[in-house]
Amino acid sequence: MSVGRVFAHGIKRQRHLTDTKTAISLPTSFKYSPPLPTFPSLSALPPPIAKTHEHPFNYKYYQVTLHRGTFGLPESTKRVLNALGLTRRHLVVYLPVNNKTAGSILKVKELVRVECCNELPPVVNVPKGFKVVGSAVAGANNEN
């Protein structure tokens, strides 16, 4: 007795891609569709509206503070923080508002605190080892 596949009476066998006898022919002609509308030339269009500022908000600077430390973080995250100028905890840097800065801040958003501001604080250059106690100018104004 030979062993082989036996198909029950009345069940069709499955078609194969190479079976040309039962293959379904594809349509050779398609329904007519009207042509696409034509657009005016670029010279006929009005000039684009000039941008008044690059960012949708009217702020000039981000005040970024490194809130969490970088110990145990990947090297790529540390490089992003160094590029932003954040080298140690609680360090505050002021960065311009633009897309590049916003993208870098978003990469480390869990580690920093961000505020928006329009003015930079005045820079006070104090020699190393000294501390600012008061202002001689402010004291002179109070005496008058």
Side-chain angles (χ1 to χ4, degrees):
M1 191 165 137
S2 65
V3 178
R5 289 191 176 204
V6 177
F7 295 98
H9 182 69
I11 296 179
K12 293 182 180 180
R13 63 186 177 108
Q14 292 182 350
R15 289 186 299 184
H16 192 266
L17 292 174
T18 58
D19 189 3
T20 57
K21 292 179 182 175
T22 59
I24 301 171
S25 61
L26 295 174
T28 56
S29 62
F30 296 96
K31 186 178 167 184
Y32 171 76
S33 61
L36 296 174
T38 58
F39 295 101
S41 65
L42 293 177
S43 61
L45 295 175
I49 299 171
K51 292 183 179 179
T52 55
H53 54 274
E54 186 178 340
H55 202 269
F57 303 111
N58 290 326
Y59 292 109
K60 294 181 181 177
Y61 301 101
Y62 292 122
Q63 176 185 338
V64 185
T65 307
L66 182 59
H67 180 64
R68 303 287 302 262
T70 61
F71 184 76
L73 293 177
E75 196 62 35
S76 60
T77 305
K78 292 178 184 179
R79 282 195 300 261
V80 171
L81 288 170
N82 281 337
L84 290 173
L86 298 168
T87 54
R88 58 184 186 272
R89 286 185 64 197
H90 305 296
L91 184 67
V92 178
V93 294
Y94 292 87
L95 302 168
V97 173
N98 57 33
N99 294 336
K100 180 180 176 184
T101 307
S104 297
I105 291 172
L106 283 175
K107 288 181 183 177
V108 292
K109 63 184 175 286
E110 298 87 5
L111 307 173
V112 297
R113 289 186 179 165
V114 181
E115 295 177 18
C116 295
C117 60
N118 284 324
E119 296 179 4
L120 294 175
V123 177
V124 180
N125 292 327
V126 180
K128 196 168 188 176
F130 291 91
K131 183 166 93 172
V132 176
V133 177
S135 173
V137 176
N141 290 340
N142 291 339
E143 291 174 6
N144 291 338

